[in-house]
Amino acid sequence: MGLALLSAAISGIIFGIGLALAGMLNPAKVAGFLDIFGLWDPSLMLVMAGGIAVNAAGYFLFLRSGKPLFASSFSLPEARQIDKKLIIGSVLFGVGWGLAGLCPGPVVASIGLDPLSILPFLAVMLAGLKLGVIIRTRI
Amino acid sequence: MTINWTEFTPLMSFLGGVLIGAAAFILMLTKGRIMGVSGILAGLLPPNSSFELFWRLAFIAGIIAGPLLLTRFGLYNIEAVAVAEGGILYLAALLVGLGTAIGSGCTSGHGICGLSRLSVRSMMAVATFVLAGVLAVFVMRHLM
């Protein structure tokens, strides 16, 4: 239990530092990546490349068999179908991401840096998450 | 398409990405969990089981602490310039929450973890939310 919590915290710390160094905590930079018809900042392509390279290597080398160190089994998504929930949800998320330049990870990572402007955003985002979880079961 | 060379940060962004990938690997190796922030946050909202609460809280606390460690020790200057305010900002917050819940994931879960596992669902999700984001930015910056 203790080691599981410690490893989750360490993962979070590394994730938060990674987001900051990558420039993901800057909404203007994220919007600059999405602005392919204006002055385009391709930096987020390299965030994806670095993240996927390391995680994919780890996944395919170490995690395809056995079990996790501090849990009884791997919890991987079982859904395989491309359904309308996946597409509708991703469209809504993409529009919000483009409008604010913020997605859930950077919102959480910015809480301590600028609580006054982030906490109201976080509250509305969490309300949206809860509402979305309810809607997902009905469509 | 014109590349913004003055804002382009290939090395730091790649390094940040490597850390993000390492964090996702650590969470899967130790807890066997996908590092998807929207899903982990959704699991904190009531109703929830207390057993599943603690590792989520530890992970979230870590994410908050990471950037604070950087700034507290003066290691890195984190820049943040807002692109929206008022009604548009809160509409965006609502859409981010709704969309990631209905679409089962965000940039971390689908973008980093799903693509690493070669999930076709995640490939579709990423293509869709990047395209929707591009269109939103196009409308805001070039049409309005």
Side-chain angles (χ1 to χ4, degrees):
Chain A
M1 183 72 177
L3 285 175
L5 291 185
L6 183 65
S7 44
I10 289 170
S11 166
I13 291 171
I14 295 172
F15 181 48
I17 291 174
L19 286 172
L21 298 185
M24 295 285 300
L25 304 191
N26 187 357
K29 191 168 185 70
V30 174
F33 166 70
L34 295 171
D35 191 12
I36 60 172
F37 298 107
L39 262 181
W40 186 50
D41 176 359
S43 304
L44 266 66
M45 300 280 281
L46 287 132
V47 182
M48 295 283 281
I52 291 169
V54 171
N55 191 38
Y59 180 74
F60 285 101
L61 289 175
F62 301 111
L63 303 178
R64 294 228 284 174
S65 58
K67 63 188 202 66
L69 296 177
F70 311 124
S72 53
S73 63
F74 290 111
S75 310
L76 294 172
E78 277 156 20
R80 290 285 176 273
Q81 219 179 344
I82 314 274
D83 53 14
K84 64 178 186 219
K85 283 181 242 186
L86 185 80
I87 302 301
I88 293 169
S90 297
V91 167
L92 297 177
F93 165 48
V95 171
W97 188 39
L99 291 179
L102 286 166
C103 52
V107 169
V108 172
S110 303
I111 290 173
L113 300 172
D114 187 8
L116 283 182
S117 57
I118 283 295
L119 287 175
F121 188 94
L122 176 73
V124 176
M125 186 181 87
L126 291 177
L129 257 179
K130 189 69 215 169
L131 192 60
V133 169
I134 295 165
I135 292 173
R136 188 177 57 193
T137 59
R138 313 220 166 145
I139 54 174
Chain B
M1 180 185 293
T2 316
I3 291 184
N4 188 348
W5 293 107
T6 54
E7 294 294 325
F8 187 38
T9 53
L11 283 176
M12 286 313 280
S13 287
F14 186 77
L15 175 65
V18 164
L19 291 177
I20 294 167
F25 173 68
I26 290 170
L27 196 65
M28 183 57 76
L29 177 73
T30 57
K31 277 296 295 175
R33 291 293 185 143
I34 295 279
M35 190 189 74
V37 177
S38 59
I40 290 171
L41 283 176
L44 285 175
L45 300 172
N48 47 41
S49 73
S50 59
F51 182 71
E52 282 296 302
L53 213 58
F54 296 115
W55 74 268
R56 291 170 196 264
L57 285 173
F59 176 72
I60 295 295
I63 304 181
I64 298 171
L68 284 178
L69 290 173
L70 284 180
T71 54
R72 202 48 59 88
F73 296 105
L75 298 172
Y76 191 71
N77 182 29
I78 302 171
E79 219 182 323
V81 177
V83 294
E85 56 183 18
I88 297 280
L89 188 66
Y90 293 109
L91 171 67
L94 186 68
L95 289 174
V96 169
L98 270 178
T100 53
I102 297 171
S104 309
C106 57
T107 13
S108 50
H110 280 310
I112 298 292
C113 299
L115 294 190
S116 294
R117 299 188 304 118
L118 304 177
S119 154
V120 179
R121 257 173 72 84
S122 290
M123 289 175 201
M124 281 303 295
V126 173
T128 306
F129 65 62
V130 169
L131 193 66
V134 164
L135 286 174
V137 169
F138 179 74
V139 170
M140 292 302 287
R141 287 198 174 175
H142 306 293
L143 291 185
M144 294 180 76

